[in-house]
Amino acid sequence: MLRSLRFAARAVIVLGVLLAAGAEPAPASETAWKALFESGVKARKEAKYADAERLLRTAVTRAEAFGPQDDRLVRSLNELGTVLRLAKKLDEALTAHDRALKIAEAKHGPESPEAATSIYGLAAVATLQDRAEDAEPLFKRAL
């Protein structure tokens, strides 16, 4: 575990140096996406929401290179939505979860576990926006 965290940290540092130097990131790199995604999740768990948002927005960009219906894009968008919700950026969180839901439904269907994660995120945002009438059916649908 510690070894994988060190690897992820090194990958993020290397990516940061390349981006700061103006280098274009390599397209569709699984390793780079995974390092960004895992670092973003770690930052969220540590309540470092600004860091998590920055890492996950970059992970979304990386995931987009895998294709418009790639599951890594859905995961990245949902995780970004969670971070934005925790940071009280509710409109942006809603947008991220909604985009993830559209992709998940198109690829896996409206009753899929992938769609359920996005639906739950939308319900959580609706709850924080005091829209119980919208949140309740979403929570039921997520089950």
Side-chain angles (χ1 to χ4, degrees), residues 76-124:
S76 299
L77 286 165
N78 277 325
E79 189 63 36
L80 176 61
T82 298
V83 167
L84 293 167
R85 176 175 45 85
L86 292 169
K88 306 295 187 238
K89 297 180 178 182
L90 302 180
D91 290 337
E92 291 179 72
L94 194 64
T95 300
H97 286 302
D98 187 55
R99 182 175 172 206
L101 177 61
K102 287 176 181 165
I103 297 166
E105 286 180 331
K107 184 173 182 183
H108 300 287
E111 303 299 320
S112 66
E114 293 83 4
T117 301
S118 303
I119 294 164
Y120 177 85
L122 291 169

Side-chain angles (χ1 to χ4, degrees), residues 51-63:
D51 291 341
E53 180 181 347
R54 178 181 48 78
L55 290 162
L56 290 165
R57 284 190 187 280
T58 306
V60 166
T61 299
R62 286 297 184 132

